[in-house]
Amino acid sequence: MQTFENIGITGFCEEKSHNPDKQFLLFNMYLHLSAAPPNEWKDFFSESRRLPRAQLWRKAWIEGDTLVVYCQPEELQQEIEELKEDLAVANQQYRQLQALRIQRRRLQEQVEQEEACERSLIRQLAQQLRF
């Protein structure tokens, strides 16, 4: 399993950001991420965004290697500060998931080794038996 590097915001994607509905003053503001996150990481991020922690709570979601925030342009900096917390939570939870998987794999390898030793002992016994 390759090592996981924390995912963070690396910049603003000016060319992708736009107002999807001119009736509203809310824009889809695109932020570059350091990498395209794995699906489980996206689930952790979405879960951390599920419950609002501030009076003004904007939608945010992942698209490939970008994070999209639906907000007014002047709100973007404050949203970035809140999103950093959600990114940190997703990074931490994803690392915990990886650690659990490694632990489970090691336990499985240990069980397989013990079973192989048992098979070897039984094979040796079978070769020694005389009828």
Side-chain angles (χ1 to χ4, degrees):
M1 178 179 275
Q2 64 189 111
T3 58
F4 172 74
E5 296 292 328
N6 281 342
I7 293 174
I9 299 170
T10 60
F12 178 59
C13 188
E14 190 176 334
E15 61 279 0
K16 279 185 158 182
S17 297
H18 65 282
N19 182 335
D21 187 345
K22 305 302 182 214
Q23 299 178 54
F24 301 104
L25 297 174
L26 298 170
F27 285 63
N28 284 348
M29 306 298 275
Y30 284 74
L31 302 169
H32 291 290
L33 294 175
S34 54
N39 287 332
E40 288 127 336
W41 186 98
K42 290 181 200 178
D43 293 340
F44 292 135
F45 175 79
S46 295
E47 185 61 27
S48 71
R49 297 284 305 166
R50 194 170 63 82
L51 295 174
R53 293 187 310 269
Q55 194 168 8
L56 184 61
W57 195 249
R58 300 297 190 188
K59 290 191 305 185
W61 63 94
I62 305 295
E63 286 184 14
D65 64 348
T66 60
L67 191 159
V68 186
V69 187
Y70 186 61
C71 68
Q72 294 181 3
E74 59 272 11
E75 299 169 348
L76 185 57
Q77 186 60 56
Q78 179 58 40
E79 290 298 320
I80 288 171
E81 297 309 314
E82 291 171 7
L83 288 163
K84 286 179 184 177
E85 294 175 31
D86 297 317
L87 294 170
V89 167
N91 286 329
Q92 178 187 18
Q93 290 177 332
Y94 188 75
R95 283 190 183 287
Q96 289 173 344
L97 175 64
Q98 280 191 315
L100 285 172
R101 285 181 174 161
I102 289 169
Q103 183 181 16
R104 187 180 325 137
R105 188 170 54 246
R106 286 182 182 150
L107 286 172
Q108 181 62 34
E109 289 170 356
Q110 183 179 357
V111 166
E112 289 170 2
Q113 280 182 330
E114 290 171 1
E115 289 174 354
C117 286
E118 288 175 8
R119 288 281 113 217
S120 177
L121 287 172
I122 291 172
R123 195 174 314 114
Q124 288 174 3
L125 174 64
Q127 292 172 355
Q128 295 172 1
L129 293 175
R130 301 287 174 241
F131 300 100

